């Protein structure tokens, strides 16, 4: 079948899908989590349609381990709730059922109608979806999904795969392709531009020409995304183990300036210096995630905003403030400006702030001060950050040598006081985000 094409009017019509029978694909029920199977079978036994959909099907076809399993059904949210004791309905914009099994959440959504239908349950403003609770059937639901690769349905009844948009062909050819008209779909939900970057990096897919072109045109729409939603996307983008590649693509598509406007300003003034720091921190983060070591978003935030903090600090110092006062004020200025784009939770911005303040305190190496610093819960993070700055070309070698020697001698003290909380383990359970 010809893949769905943006200009294809066919995308709005009811067309028969391609059905790939069990004998022609390699997804086996043993690849699917027991809890997802339980949900699928209970829905099906109650007479509802039940499919695995989205990333789960895509990842199994590609031989990856799915992050989570999403289910779609013709049962309405309240009917889903009647079937499962461990079920909670969430979301106003998109009403969904979350079925919880210990640490695992299976998200169950009801088929939604195509987006050009409007009535009281769907609300669109300036082309953007604000609320969408009009239900439909599987052949309506498929058109509201973002990329072809994310639109396959695995039918629990006969274990076939249902493909309306040429998704199998795109997956085989490693294409990431928006369903429908990309410009319209990005306007409906600008987060899809970030999702394009994320999936192309995660799956190593090429972004299809039209899907790609419109990101260059519409990147400014990111400014309209609520900062809380951008934070969720930030986490998925940068805690994926491929943050360096993500960073390069976000810059290539000019999405980065809308996420980190202050950092962008400094990049424009001094590309080599800032890029070198960011390059190192992302590389380092990716390596830690691959080695299953904990990483903290606070550390990333510290690096991303450090050049801006330094700039404000210099300005405040030239206005007569002492070092410590200048860096405190600079930290507060930078954080308060940044969170109007991405609302980083306070626990992370506090960590970044501690790391910055300690950079300045590490200059003092006489008397009891170094010992006091050593027992600061963030000393280890601040020391790692100092190393990173030196590697990135700041002239700090002498300071690094001194602190390395000192820290080596008192490792046990550092470990005793080290902050164990608010660190992020990539393998841990994450909150499921609302979708659009
Ligand atoms: P992963 O879970 O690996 O991040 P995923 O493809 O499963 O990837 P989810 O965010 O879990 O992504 O969403 C599940 C499915 O819901 C997607 O595959 C897609 O079909 C649909 N979806 C999610 N977010 C959007 C969106 N913003 N616009 C359109 N469809 C979406
Ligand atoms: Mg998913």
């Amino acid at each position: 079948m010809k893949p769905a094409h943006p200009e294809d009017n066919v995308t709005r019509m009811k067309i028969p899908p391609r059905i790939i029978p069990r004998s022609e694909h390699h997804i086996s029920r043993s690849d699917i989590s027991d809890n997802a199977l339980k949900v699928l079978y209970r829905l099906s036994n109650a007479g509802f349609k039940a499919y695995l959909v989205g990333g789960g099907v895509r990842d199994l076809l590609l031989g990856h381990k799915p992050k989570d399993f999403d289910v779609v059904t013709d049962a309405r949210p309240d009917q889903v709730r009647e079937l499962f004791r461990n079920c909670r309905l969430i979301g106003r914009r998109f009403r969904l059922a979350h079925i919880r099994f210990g640490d695992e959440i299976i998200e169950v959504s009801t088929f939604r109608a195509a987006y050009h239908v409007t009535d009281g349950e769907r609300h669109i403003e300036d082309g953007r979806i604000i609320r969408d609770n009009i239900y439909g059937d599987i052949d309506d639901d498929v058109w509201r999904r973002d990329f072809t690769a994310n639109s396959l349905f695995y039918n629990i009844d006969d274990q076939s795969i249902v493909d309306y948009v040429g998704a199998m062909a795109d997956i085989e050819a490693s294409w990431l392709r928006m369903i429908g008209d990309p410009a319209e779909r990005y306007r409906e939900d600008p987060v899809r531009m970030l999702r394009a970057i994320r999936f192309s990096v995660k799956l190593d897919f090429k972004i299809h020409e039209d899907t790609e072109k419109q990101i260059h045109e519409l990147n400014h729409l990111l400014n309209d995304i609520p900062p809380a939603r951008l934070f969720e996307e930030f986490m998925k983008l940068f805690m994926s183990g491929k943050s360096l590649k993500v960073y390069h693509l976000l810059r290539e598509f000019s999405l980065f300036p809308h996420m980190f406007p202050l950092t962008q300003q400094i990049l424009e003034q001094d590309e080599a210096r800032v890029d070198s720091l960011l390059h190192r921190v992302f590389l380092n983060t990716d390596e830690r995630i691959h080695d299953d070591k904990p990483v903290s978003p606070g550390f990333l935030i510290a690096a991303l905003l450090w050049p801006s903090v330094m700039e404000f600090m210099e300005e405040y110092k030239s206005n007569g403030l002492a070092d410590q006062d200048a860096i405190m004020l600079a930290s507060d200025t930078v954080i308060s400006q940044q969170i109007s784009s991405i609302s980083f939770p306070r626990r992370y911005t506090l960590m970044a702030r501690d790391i910055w303040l300690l950079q300045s305190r590490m200059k003092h190496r006489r008397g009891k001060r170094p010992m006091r610093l050593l027992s600061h819960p963030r000393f280890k993070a601040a020391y790692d950050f100092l190393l990173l700055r030196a590697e990135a070309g700041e002239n700090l070698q002498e300071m690094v040598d001194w602190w390395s020697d000192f820290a080596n001698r008192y490792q046990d003290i550092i470990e005793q006081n080290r902050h164990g909380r608010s660190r992020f383990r990539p393998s841990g359970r994450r909150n499921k985000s609302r979708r659009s």
Side-chain angles (χ1 to χ4, degrees):
M1 192 180 110
K2 187 171 154 286
H5 188 272
E7 272 89 44
D8 239 347
N9 286 329
V10 131
T11 56
R12 301 288 173 75
M13 299 184 321
K14 302 234 167 189
I15 49 164
R18 178 183 159 206
I19 307 282
I20 298 108
R22 173 65 188 94
S23 57
E24 289 173 30
H25 68 75
H26 63 257
I27 297 185
S28 137
R29 271 170 294 181
S30 60
D31 299 331
I32 302 171
S33 86
D34 289 346
N35 296 325
L37 287 174
K38 235 182 264 172
V39 171
L40 288 164
Y41 277 120
R42 190 168 308 169
L43 284 165
S44 170
N45 292 338
F48 295 110
K49 294 177 189 161
Y51 298 84
L52 202 63
V53 68
V57 186
R58 177 199 70 212
D59 289 350
L60 289 179
L61 282 172
L62 288 166
H64 301 311
K65 190 177 180 307
K67 203 179 73 196
D68 45 44
F69 290 99
D70 298 303
V71 168
V72 68
T73 176
D74 58 352
R76 303 291 162 97
D78 48 314
Q79 293 174 311
V80 176
R81 187 168 48 187
E82 278 169 24
L83 285 177
F84 298 93
R85 249 184 327 118
N86 43 341
C87 172
R88 208 162 60 91
L89 298 189
I90 59 147
R92 197 176 93 87
R93 204 166 50 129
F94 297 94
R95 207 147 174 73
L96 301 167
H98 272 183
I99 305 178
R100 180 185 282 276
F101 300 88
D103 258 6
E104 188 178 7
I105 291 176
I106 306 295
E107 189 170 285
V108 181
S109 59
T110 305
F111 294 134
R112 289 205 174 76
Y115 62 90
H116 56 279
V117 182
T118 32
D119 79 2
E121 285 306 301
R122 172 168 293 136
H123 183 55
I124 296 186
E125 267 177 34
D126 300 333
R128 216 143 50 89
I129 303 178
I130 306 297
R131 192 170 66 243
D132 185 0
N133 284 313
I134 303 180
Y135 301 118
D137 208 338
I138 182 170
D139 54 356
D140 300 305
D141 188 86
V142 63
W143 306 113
R144 68 156 181 108
R145 306 213 162 254
D146 47 7
F147 305 102
T148 56
N150 288 348
S151 72
L152 288 170
F153 300 89
Y154 169 92
N155 187 348
I156 197 61
D157 276 349
D158 60 2
Q159 291 115 54
S160 66
I161 293 176
V162 186
D163 178 3
Y164 282 91
V165 294
M168 288 299 258
D170 280 348
I171 288 179
E172 269 156 37
S174 306
W175 278 120
L176 193 73
R177 186 195 306 254
M178 182 65 87
I179 297 173
D181 171 24
E184 200 174 320
R185 306 299 313 280
Y186 291 137
R187 283 208 181 85
E188 281 172 6
D189 181 10
V191 162
R192 289 173 184 152
M193 295 188 277
L194 297 177
R195 290 174 59 88
I197 306 302
R198 179 156 72 87
F199 292 124
S200 101
V201 170
K202 169 176 169 157
L203 309 170
D204 206 11
F205 275 25
K206 297 171 286 298
I207 306 179
H208 190 263
E209 199 182 323
D210 301 300
T211 305
E212 178 181 273
K213 202 173 85 197
Q214 290 303 323
I215 304 181
H216 290 290
E217 307 281 322
L218 297 172
N219 45 40
H220 60 273
L221 295 177
L222 276 198
N223 293 337
D224 301 337
I225 299 176
R229 188 143 180 244
L230 266 194
F231 171 66
E232 285 180 13
E233 292 305 315
F234 167 88
M235 294 293 278
K236 292 185 196 168
L237 284 162
F238 286 98
M239 296 288 145
S240 61
K242 294 187 174 182
S243 64
L244 184 59
K245 228 168 151 187
V246 163
Y247 161 69
H248 285 307
L249 281 186
L250 289 177
R251 291 201 59 201
E252 185 185 323
F253 284 96
S254 302
L255 292 162
F256 186 81
H258 304 287
M259 300 176 79
F260 292 96
L262 284 173
T263 314
Q264 176 66 21
Q265 270 175 30
I266 314 252
L267 269 163
E268 282 165 19
Q269 293 160 22
D270 193 349
E271 165 85 31
R273 178 174 62 89
V274 180
D275 188 63
S276 155
L277 179 73
L278 296 185
H279 185 98
R280 275 183 173 71
V281 77
F282 291 132
L283 201 64
N284 196 25
T285 302
D286 293 346
E287 277 171 10
R288 291 185 64 93
I289 290 179
H290 290 143
D291 297 342
D292 214 20
K293 292 185 187 159
V295 290
S296 170
F299 194 85
L300 272 187
I301 298 166
L304 277 156
L305 299 176
W306 172 246
S308 313
V309 170
M310 280 208 291
E311 191 172 84
F312 277 105
M313 186 174 72
E314 289 312 319
E315 188 189 317
Y316 294 144
K317 272 173 30 183
S318 68
N319 289 340
L321 282 191
D323 266 24
Q324 200 63 14
D325 293 337
I327 197 164
M328 273 200 265
L329 193 59
S331 304
D332 294 343
T333 308
V334 167
I335 290 170
S336 71
Q337 290 193 27
Q338 175 61 47
I339 58 176
S340 68
S341 305
I342 307 180
S343 57
F344 290 115
R346 216 170 128 70
R347 64 185 182 282
Y348 298 141
T349 55
L350 280 179
M351 176 175 183
R353 196 171 184 274
D354 279 348
I355 290 174
W356 296 331
L357 300 192
L358 287 168
Q359 301 307 297
S360 147
R361 287 174 61 191
M362 279 196 283
K363 287 185 200 147
H364 307 290
R365 285 172 261 158
R366 293 230 199 94
K368 293 193 175 136
R369 292 172 90 170
M371 209 57 191
R372 241 183 275 144
L373 272 201
L374 216 54
S375 37
H376 190 290
R378 299 282 187 216
F379 174 80
K380 179 67 170 64
Y383 168 71
D384 287 344
F385 193 70
L386 183 76
L387 297 186
L388 204 78
R389 289 170 57 201
E391 277 175 36
E394 279 190 64
N395 185 10
L396 298 165
Q397 203 49 53
E398 199 258 331
M399 213 165 129
V400 165
D401 290 345
W402 192 92
W403 278 105
S404 301
D405 184 47
F406 192 67
N408 259 336
R409 271 187 279 150
Y410 298 105
Q411 263 182 22
D412 44 338
I413 297 185
I414 301 171
E415 281 308 316
Q416 270 166 27
N417 292 292
R418 196 167 160 185
H419 226 290
R421 281 174 299 143
S422 80
R423 289 196 294 159
F424 180 88
R425 272 198 179 272
S427 50
R429 187 170 62 76
R430 267 164 273 182
N431 288 333
K432 287 230 55 157
S433 65
R434 285 324 70 74
R435 73 201 26 188
S436 290

